[in-house]
Amino acid sequence: MLKKSLQILAVVAIMLATALSAHAQDVTVVLDEKFAAFTDGSAESPASTDISGYSGKLAKTLSGWSGRKIYEAGEALFIGEGGNLQTTRYNMSTLNGNCRVSLRLKAKADYGEAVALYVSYNQVETFLLENNQWTEVSVVTDRGSSSAYIKLQPMFEGVVVDRILIEQSKSFVMTPDVYQPTNATGTSFTATWKRVTGATGYLLNVYSKAADGSREYFLKDAEYTTTSAKVEGLTDGVQYFFTVRAKVNDNISEESEEIEVIKAIESLAAPEALPATQITTAGFTANWEAVANAENYMLNVYGMETFNEAATKTVLAEDFSGVTKGSMDGIEFGKLTEGLDAYTNTPGWVAHNHAFAAGYIVLAPYSDAAQLYTPSMNLTHATTITVNMAEYSYKYYTGGKVTVTLYDAATDAALDSKEFEITEAAFADFTFTTNKGTENSYFEIAYSGSNKIFINDVKISMAFLPGSTYSMLIGNYETDATSYEVVKEAVANVVYTYNVVAMARSVDMSGNIITVKSEPSKTITVNRGTSVEKVAANASVSVRSSSIVIAADSAEAQVFTAAGTQVATARVNGEAAISVAPGIYIVKAAGKVAKVLVK
């Protein structure tokens, strides 16, 4: 199963007439808070006084409640950016802890909000509000206990809540968690799901989808008392899905998350690359044969430049202008080790023990040295790396030592190295020239001093002799077709080549969705063409393989896990593909918020 950081127990967004309706006779109301005592401000313009804290109006009015950044909002409460609201503790232990939590919410921002709901320490749902209109949402969970509380936490600019309703009833049935099959063969699979406390049976639906998205059932409401069922007799090549509902006598839960049945494969054959067609001065079409079980393909396009005269060419230039958070006197620390694709012009940068300041990557040693790693490149000619940097920590320092080391990416063996001492209390260029690079090399910039090194930009150039050549990756493009049109004006003395990798989703033994890739095809040489850059007129968010693809005109984009942890920031002017682990993500870009599932 796709392991989500948020554990969906059951969710249905419902209208007020149902979610907050008159209750059946067996419903016990644990809490029905409408915040009538909090009259200052309004939902559109909350009051400016934070009423959280031990002496604030929140705790004085609602005994045992707590939070941070809480403001009155006209018989409602506004939870500000970075804040949370937590109720007092209630006894929700009856009916095995089954309870339904219903909320009425309104986002501050017109693009909406993502709100995490916790029952005690367990995050049970993240609600996505698509706009700033009032929205009613509800979830059934078994996380109730004898001393349970509810906590709400917005991820972006804040949310207004004007009702929290907690109920318990025998009629509330929790939706089962369902798992990704690990043994799907194309003609069979085993559906499995988590046991629901008190369930007397389960209803399994297996179906494909028509062109209009409607279901074409293979099994409909097939009843089981077990938590698994082997499904056989499927048609290979047809895409199937399944859902499960739990029964407690005559009461039935909502449908589970829909699971796409993914065929488990171990390997793919390398594609047979075909000659390019439609070759013009503006581009070419790359072609290849289909590969059995492949879902899509990665086209890798290279440009090989021949130098008729001696020349020095910049092959990498990074100014870290994609870093917009933090400042020199207020840095924001990154993860211990992380890729920097969201901040850089060229993918492949990695940092360790680092921080961010707008326009800079900061080497900030903690328990060991801090490092910045360039992307791996073909560095087989005389190579010069220039690092513009300064030693700084609330003021400029001198005396710090920074080591720049060239490595072979295939073996991680150090090939050459140079140590620099910071001698100026200002930003300065530090240059290292080496001729020991390989076809797959990278540089490490390392610092272990007591201050911080602010790196402003890094440039790598190479000196080419007459008659020498240099091959560089122009771009890589995903498609589910067996051809791809590559468009750009021809460049003198550059020959273009391409190879193709077949890809498909599969499932490992733990139920995690993985991507299987083939070996590259043989390389095809073309005389013209490079890449195409597609610029979207409006912001859009989609999923391509294991990446979130954001298209926008000159916009900032942020990617969060469903738990609210920011995992990427990108400047998008055209299209950006952000590689992430499988899971549910919240994407904020160009005034829009989208919730996407990456498998």
Side-chain angles (χ1 to χ4, degrees):
M1 175 189 176
L2 176 60
K3 304 293 185 183
K4 300 185 181 70
S5 57
L6 67 95
Q7 296 297 316
I8 298 179
L9 302 172
V11 59
V12 56
I14 52 181
M15 300 305 293
L16 181 60
T18 54
L20 305 176
S21 63
H23 314 305
Q25 213 170 24
D26 67 341
V27 173
T28 299
V29 176
V30 177
L31 170 69
D32 188 1
E33 179 55 55
K34 300 176 182 177
F35 305 107
F38 302 93
T39 56
D40 285 353
S42 66
E44 292 70 28
S45 182
S48 58
T49 300
D50 186 349
I51 62 171
S52 62
Y54 293 111
S55 59
K57 184 176 178 179
L58 176 66
K60 289 181 178 179
T61 306
L62 298 175
S63 179
W65 287 53
S66 62
R68 61 191 304 265
K69 297 186 178 180
I70 306 296
Y71 307 87
E72 295 185 69
E75 297 190 3
L77 291 179
F78 172 62
I79 311 169
E81 180 179 359
N84 65 76
L85 174 66
Q86 182 172 310
T87 72
T88 190
R89 295 178 180 271
Y90 299 95
N91 183 358
M92 292 184 272
S93 61
T94 59
L95 302 176
N96 297 310
N98 257 31
C99 59
R100 182 171 72 187
V101 180
S102 300
L103 309 166
R104 207 168 92 102
L105 304 169
K106 177 180 172 66
K108 175 185 178 183
D110 57 6
Y111 57 75
E113 183 61 77
V115 183
L117 169 67
Y118 295 80
V119 178
S120 296
Y121 297 101
N122 303 291
Q123 184 176 349
V124 298
E125 181 55 282
T126 296
F127 297 113
L128 181 66
L129 310 182
E130 297 180 355
N131 50 46
N132 61 349
Q133 303 302 306
W134 284 107
T135 304
E136 293 80 32
V137 293
S138 180
V139 62
V140 176
T141 171
D142 66 353
R143 296 298 183 176
S145 67
S146 60
S147 182
Y149 60 84
I150 301 298
K151 184 170 79 169
L152 300 178
Q153 184 171 311
M155 294 184 185
F156 302 127
E157 296 185 31
V159 67
V160 179
V161 54
D162 77 348
R163 191 176 186 185
I164 299 178
L165 176 64
I166 306 173
E167 307 163 287
Q168 291 191 283
S169 171
K170 293 179 181 178
S171 63
F172 299 159
V173 180
M174 193 174 70
T175 304
D177 282 340
V178 283
Y179 301 102
Q180 191 71 46
T182 60
N183 61 346
T185 65
T187 59
S188 69
F189 73 94
T190 299
T192 56
W193 53 91
K194 186 177 180 179
R195 183 179 71 88
V196 171
T197 303
T200 56
Y202 302 92
L203 302 178
L204 172 66
N205 288 325
V206 179
Y207 50 91
S208 57
K209 293 183 180 180
D212 63 1
S214 60
R215 294 181 178 185
E216 297 180 342
Y217 284 95
F218 181 82
L219 291 176
K220 184 173 175 59
D221 289 340
E223 188 163 354
Y224 298 88
T225 57
T226 58
T227 56
S228 66
K230 187 169 185 179
V231 181
E232 298 180 290
L234 303 173
T235 301
D236 198 7
V238 174
Q239 188 61 66
Y240 291 95
F241 305 83
F242 77 89
T243 63
V244 181
R245 293 186 293 168
K247 290 180 59 180
V248 178
N249 300 320
D250 294 331
N251 298 310
I252 300 175
S253 75
E254 296 294 323
E255 272 193 305
S256 70
E257 169 195 7
E258 179 182 79
I259 294 292
E260 181 182 0
V261 180
I262 296 173
K263 188 174 182 178
I265 59 174
E266 293 185 359
S267 62
L268 290 168
E272 179 66 28
L274 302 176
T277 57
Q278 298 177 308
I279 301 173
T280 70
T281 57
F284 64 91
T285 297
N287 305 286
W288 56 92
E289 296 281 3
V291 173
N293 292 321
E295 293 183 321
N296 53 5
Y297 302 89
M298 178 69 75
L299 171 67
N300 302 303
V301 180
Y302 301 84
M304 184 173 69
E305 184 172 0
T306 299
F307 294 89
N308 296 325
E309 300 177 350
T312 298
K313 183 180 179 67
T314 298
V315 294
L316 182 146
E318 182 55 60
D319 62 2
F320 304 109
S321 57
V323 178
T324 58
K325 59 185 177 180
S327 65
M328 289 188 67
D329 291 325
I331 63 173
E332 291 193 23
F333 286 93
K335 300 174 184 176
L336 180 62
T337 302
E338 67 178 313
L340 302 177
D341 289 2
Y343 310 97
T344 56
N345 299 314
T346 304
W349 290 84
V350 176
H352 172 75
N353 274 344
H354 60 289
F356 301 98
Y360 306 98
I361 291 295
V362 185
L363 301 183
Y366 182 60
S367 59
D368 57 355
Q371 295 101 1
L372 176 66
Y373 300 96
T374 71
S376 297
M377 304 175 65
N378 179 349
L379 301 178
T380 50
H381 300 271
T383 302
T384 298
I385 180 171
T386 302
V387 184
N388 183 264
M389 58 185 169
E391 186 177 14
Y392 184 87
S393 185
Y394 298 103
K395 69 174 186 177
Y396 289 98
Y397 286 84
T398 60
K401 294 182 179 180
V402 177
T403 302
V404 178
T405 304
L406 175 69
Y407 284 91
D408 183 342
T411 63
D412 278 333
L415 305 174
D416 204 354
S417 183
K418 183 174 182 178
E419 183 181 78
F420 298 97
E421 182 175 346
I422 306 296
T423 57
E424 296 182 49
F427 279 92
D429 285 341
F430 296 83
T431 300
F432 171 34
T433 299
T434 177
N435 60 1
K436 297 182 179 180
T438 65
E439 292 185 356
N440 193 12
S441 293
Y442 64 89
F443 284 100
E444 173 197 72
I445 305 167
Y447 171 71
S448 58
S450 58
N451 293 311
K452 297 174 177 60
I453 297 294
F454 285 73
I455 298 177
N456 183 39
D457 62 54
V458 178
K459 293 179 181 177
I460 298 177
S461 61
M462 285 195 287
F464 297 96
L465 299 174
S468 62
T469 61
Y470 181 70
S471 183
M472 194 170 173
L473 179 68
I474 299 298
N476 42 32
Y477 313 97
E478 285 188 38
T479 177
D480 57 6
T482 54
S483 64
Y484 190 91
E485 182 182 2
V486 182
V487 181
K488 199 172 184 181
E489 292 297 322
V491 178
N493 301 321
V494 175
V495 174
Y496 298 96
T497 64
Y498 65 85
N499 62 38
V500 187
V501 174
M503 301 186 296
R505 291 172 299 162
S506 185
V507 181
D508 65 18
M509 295 303 294
S510 298
N512 299 309
I513 297 175
I514 59 174
T515 298
V516 175
K517 297 182 180 180
S518 73
E519 292 295 321
S521 70
K522 66 179 181 181
T523 298
I524 298 293
T525 300
V526 194
N527 291 323
R528 290 288 185 267
T530 66
S531 66
V532 57
E533 296 180 359
K534 298 181 179 179
V535 179
N538 298 300
S540 65
V541 179
S542 59
V543 174
R544 183 189 301 154
S545 187
S546 59
S547 296
I548 297 172
V549 180
I550 305 168
D553 289 335
S554 187
E556 295 294 327
Q558 297 170 296
V559 180
F560 301 81
T561 67
T565 301
Q566 183 172 322
V567 295
T569 299
R571 290 177 304 126
V572 183
N573 189 17
E575 184 177 280
I578 300 173
S579 180
V580 294
I584 290 180
Y585 294 88
I586 308 296
V587 182
K588 178 183 175 183
K592 294 184 178 180
V593 172
K595 186 177 184 179
V596 296
L597 171 65
V598 179
K599 298 183 177 181

